[in-house]
Amino acid sequence: MGGSGVARMKLAYWMYEGTALSGITRVAGSMQKVHTVIHGPQGDGYVNVMYSMLERFHTIPPFTLSTIGRREMAQGSRARLVETVRRVDAQHQPDIIVITPTCSSTLLQEDLLAVARTLGKQTKAKLIVPNVNAFRDLEHRAMDDFLTQFVAEFATEQPKTEQFSVNLIGPSYLGFHQLHDMQEIRSMLESLGVVVNAVLPYGASIGTLQELTKAHLNICLYHEYGQSACELLKEKFGMDYIVATPIGIRLTSQFVKAIGERAGLPVESYIRQNLAPSGTIARFTKSVDSLSALFGKRAVVFGDYSHAVGMTHLLREIGVRVVWAGTYMKTMEKAFQAAIGDLADEVFVCDDFQAISHKIRDTHPDIVFGTQMERHSSARFNFPCIVISSPAHILNFPLFPAPVLGYQGMTRMLDTINSTIKLGLEEHLVNMFGEDSPGMGEEETAQEQVAVTSDLPKAPDKTTAGEVELKWDAEATKALKQVPFFVRGKVQRNTENYARERGYSEVTLEVIYAAKAYFESKSNQGER
Amino acid sequence: MERVERENGCFHTFCPIASVAWLHRKIKDSFFLIVGTHTCAHFIQTALDVMVYAHSRFGFAVLEESDLVSASPTEELGKVVQQVVDEWHPKVIFVLSTCSVDILKMDLEVSCKDLSTRFGFPVLPAATSGIDRSFTQGEDAVLHALLPFVPKEAPAVEPVEEKKPRWFSFGKETEKEKAEPARNLVLIGAVTDSTIQQLQWELKQLGLPKVDVFPDGDIRKMPVINEQTVVVPLQPYLNDTLATIRRERGAKVLSTVFPIGPDGTARFLEAICSEFGLVTSRIKEKEAQAWRDLEPQLQILRGKKIMFLGDNLLELPLARFLTSCGVQVVEAGTPYIHSKDLQQELELLQERDVRIVESPDFTKQLQRMQEYKPDLVVAGLGICNPLEAMGFTTAWSIEFTFAQIHGFVNAIDLIKLFTKPLLKRQALMEHGWAEAGWLE
């Protein structure tokens, strides 16, 4: 990676960053009346799974595969691509069809641009081929390049809006809480008296792209992508821009002030109001509970650039020590050091999840802030963890408003921290008296004990008085062991009751299977 | 095959490398190394979720641009294999090829041979490219790679004494073999130990005490397959493995239906019993009992319309089972049909006038769905939620590959994969969702 040219075949278990294909589909899939034709083998259709499962799409995601199969390998894949693009044009009638390269089409050296040039004369939709290296580029790089390409293609000179207005560059599907962030920033700007002219790419259409220049300022919300498009708009149309991810009180203040300065609006009172002693953030931070539960606690932070930087700020603002902070955005190492070098004891870049896992284990932090992978690593070592960055999974697509940015984002983060760590008094009590068996109801605990004792056919003293002792033959015992421990006791009891009722003296496989058929059939409704 | 429609279309399915999800757990002390691109890695982690990753014995040899021009992948692959060996100490490594390997015409077979010699344990190539294979066929590729570890002869009990007379007594030897034709039965397919135990128990009841299964979880304990072997597939997508067994081992591959559902299981057991000259009369009783056990579920399914969009290659046996349940299968879409290995399933479906579509076109299927108005659609993970939003009730096709669906005992689990979504819909209707208007 890194395009150095000397990199060789590399062992990888896990990628923190997605592919160029996922980057392109995040941009195109977030837009209106834009359909993407993916020119690649059957498996490349997996982007549909992300949209339909994580974003819970209620329409068929706007991606159509132009399948490269054995036939296309032998006879060329051009005919298939042409047919697919024509069909999509006629059927979906989009304004734009993105013909995206894949690893396979890149290796096959397919000239998608040539196809688009010829075919574009016949289609209603405008055809766009992303100018990315599908084989080498990663998600954020591809997003950055592709957004710039869109802007270069469609943006035109427009008169400015009367009121001070901004464009929000960044919010898209499959980002980390990005649509929640978008709502939060919108309401924040509304409070300040600033108008949102456009959002890119979420919800954007050709019209949106053409009218970008109506705004006075571009706000690039995430450092990973979007800045190049802002840079282009600055060069071509003289538009001012800022790059800022407002997490925590300091970065949010800076963000608000930067906008206020350019808009000529007073923002001090807005900031004061949000940080007032009567406000939720101050009440939490000043509380005695937070003193014993958080102050001086050792945290570690890992994520993409924007969220790792933001969380490090936020944690220091509530009195938590950051033992180390890392990012997997290896291309942003310098900026990362500069941003938080003096806020954490150690600052680094790394994209090896096992190295991070070992570092967590060795650091023994009080709490971990990381990606879904760190959540899993932390669970192995029994450390509490809060997910603050992609890679995300379904838990990071909550149904209730859950921003990360701005004051609301901070409030929500404090709530999350609150529900993850032990509160002050609780911690004292636990330290004094020891902990209850965690998270297990009496029923489950009892069952587990049954399961433990019933690993082997039962000892006679365990049977209830009056019941006939049932023998389990070797095969039946083996079968019982295959049942997960937490239901094993129940299965054993049910099977024995079934056997007794029918007068069996020994439990054999026949009895187990017959009992299973009987009980499963009875429990028709609900659980499998 | 005349009545099979072919659309050569685009449908929603996974890539064969997804089969590492169950295979890396089935084969003990193994490591699965996928030689591919970032996209392969991103697909697997997206499809399989984070949880699978923590201690998983599979990884990726990610191709970089310099690999594209190098003459042989052996050296680079060797370094990656060394890392895997240091960390995991596997007894066997499967090297899975992908579309990129296919397009670049990288010769992983030669590299694997060299690396096996260098490391002193098997490094096996498996052709899992998504260019011409479907989701579940990854299992076929891996079983195919394991065939060299399937012995042709049973290890002799006293090898020294037995070997001697063999050299100069050919006549006697043949006579002896004629006297006791030690025919063995081998079931083929990576199913769970519990499913194996159930099938072995059924066959034992019918008079066949020794039933081997390929693959065994232990690479050193693979069953014998030779001219005396009767091979019966448990999964419908093991065509390459079966072809090679026919060709190189001269084993008899029994043509039957798959032991999925009481009907399939009964036909499967009958075919085996007939082959081994055993009485089949008891099977009918067992089948009848199995159907009686399913009666509450059958009441839900009878008369329902079910459509398979096509994903996991289990579609034909599942459709056949459903027709036996009294379901109207309005369309059995499936990525690919091996007409020889699926002959009996095809015949049964055609007798029952089921529309079969090979390599279906999803766009056309969407239109047909509006006509059929199916009660249940079995579809890939990528499109279930949108279909639900359109008002259809769906079952995830991938669930059928992770659930235990073979044999009489598991028939209840199998049928519930179909009844559960229907019951859920009914439950929602009864509890407040009727007034939403879009659920009928």
Side-chain angles (χ1 to χ4, degrees), chain A residues 236-258:
Chain A
K236 228 174 148 185
F237 302 100
M239 286 182 82
D240 193 9
Y241 75 88
I242 60 169
V243 183
T245 312
I247 299 176
I249 59 175
R250 274 173 291 184
L251 296 179
T252 302
S253 283
Q254 280 173 26
F255 177 80
V256 171
K257 282 179 189 161

Side-chain angles (χ1 to χ4, degrees), chain A residues 7-10 12-13 15 42 46 52 70-71 87 91 103 354 376 393 510 513 516 520-521 524, chain B residues 8 11 39 42 45 53-54 60 62 66-67 76 87-88 102 132 198 293 297 363 382 385 413 416:
Chain A
R8 282 297 177 99
M9 193 184 285
K10 188 178 133 185
Y13 294 100
M15 287 171 62
Q42 201 71 258
Y46 79 96
S52 67
R70 188 58 68 197
R71 188 175 327 194
R87 183 158 48 84
Q91 199 184 343
C103 294
Q354 285 173 309
H376 194 83
H393 83 168
E510 183 164 11
Y513 296 151
K516 178 173 189 261
E520 292 274 16
S521 178
N524 181 11
Chain B
N8 187 27
F11 46 95
T39 304
H42 194 238
Q45 77 184 50
Y53 271 79
F60 301 87
V62 177
S66 51
D67 296 314
E76 288 303 314
E87 191 170 345
W88 298 92
D102 216 354
D132 58 356
Q198 288 167 21
D293 290 341
Q297 274 73 29
T363 324
N385 279 348
D413 302 286
K416 281 184 176 180

